[in-house]
Structure formats: C-alpha cells, structure tokens
Amino acid sequence: MNISYQREMKRNYLIVDPELSEFPEMIPFEQKMLEQNQIEGILHFQVRQKDEKIRFFYEITSRQPLTRMLEGQSVQAPQIRALVFGIARALDHMEQYLLSEKNVLLDPEYLYLEPDHFTVELCLVPGHWEEAPQALSKLLGYL
C-alpha cells in the first residue's frame, strides 16, 4: 500500500494506492458502503481509477494528523479521552454499516483531527487488514 498526498483546488487529499494482493473478496461491498454513505467518524471516501489502477482518495481538508497535532507537546488527559471516545464512536458507526475495524489505519499519521474541537476521523481502507487490538495498543503506546 502506497500513500501520498494531493491538493486539488481548495481541497487536500490523502491518497492510498492499494496493492492488488491486499484485495479480499469483500472489497466491492466495503467500497460501495464508503462511496454511498457518509459515515460519522470516517474520512470522506472516493474511488478514482486511472489506467486500470484504483486509488482511494480521502478528503483531509482542514484536518491535521495526530502526529502533527502533538508535535512538540505532551498529550493531556482530556485529549486522550477525546481521542479514545472519538475512535470508539467511529467504530460503533462502522458496525451499523457492517464494516470491520480491521480495515482502519490506527497509525497516528493517519488519524485526522479537527484542530478546533479535537474530533477524530479515521481512515478506513478497503482491503487493508490489521488486528485492531494490536493496532490500538501501538497507538496508546505512542500517546
């Protein structure tokens, strides 16, 4: 999986180029759910295809990655609480759409926050597979 960034007009995007080997059978379902629904706590999702290559675009305009938000400062208890509750809320909303938490990138670089309210939005990548307990454990270790 390759990750890059792009600016178009007044919008910023996180772009994921998934490896074809990462694609399990359920990807069309996950893609359709993300394309056709705006799920609270999940970054807005678009699929774009160019030269038979699929790319996932996530709108990150006016959001900052967790790593940048905490750069040069220590994390405070209210921030940790807001982050953990935000992740839990997003995972709960995902469950309503039958989406798996194993598809979420819980790396601090890909957790996007709205700077004014410290609300989190997750990056759900169809085809990505990571055990959620281990990923959450690594995230808490980072904090």
Side-chain angles (χ1 to χ4, degrees):
M1 171 170 60
N2 296 320
I3 296 179
S4 59
Y5 299 89
Q6 182 174 318
R7 181 166 176 78
E8 290 180 358
M9 301 291 280
K10 295 182 179 184
R11 299 189 187 267
N12 295 318
Y13 294 96
L14 165 74
I15 304 166
V16 176
D17 293 321
E19 304 276 330
L20 291 177
S21 62
E22 294 180 23
F23 277 47
E25 295 174 4
M26 291 189 65
I27 285 187
F29 168 78
E30 294 168 342
Q31 277 184 225
K32 287 179 194 261
M33 278 301 208
L34 289 170
E35 285 178 302
Q36 296 176 5
N37 299 288
Q38 180 57 45
I39 303 169
E40 187 178 335
I42 304 297
L43 289 170
H44 184 68
F45 175 85
Q46 295 176 3
V47 176
R48 297 187 189 175
Q49 189 169 354
K50 182 178 180 181
D51 300 329
E52 297 183 22
K53 185 168 183 159
I54 293 175
R55 298 170 79 197
F56 302 143
F57 280 67
Y58 299 87
E59 187 177 339
I60 57 172
T61 307
S62 77
R63 293 169 187 83
Q64 297 292 322
L66 178 63
T67 53
R68 189 169 302 142
M69 292 288 291
L70 300 179
E71 209 168 67
Q73 64 178 344
S74 61
V75 65
Q76 303 298 315
Q79 293 171 320
I80 293 174
R81 244 188 320 277
L83 185 64
V84 171
F85 285 137
I87 291 171
R89 245 186 327 275
L91 293 175
D92 187 48
H93 290 295
M94 285 173 42
E95 190 175 290
Q96 296 171 12
Y97 293 90
L98 305 175
L99 296 169
S100 174
E101 73 279 354
K102 294 179 179 185
N103 300 118
V104 174
L105 293 177
L106 285 177
D107 188 296
E109 187 69 32
Y110 308 113
L111 291 177
Y112 280 85
L113 302 166
E114 212 269 38
D116 296 334
H117 307 291
F118 212 78
T119 55
V120 67
E121 290 195 354
L122 307 178
C123 182
L124 191 147
V125 180
H128 172 75
W129 197 261
E130 183 175 17
E131 291 297 325
Q134 286 85 354
L136 188 57
S137 179
K138 284 195 299 192
L139 174 63
L140 292 174
Y142 170 80
L143 293 175

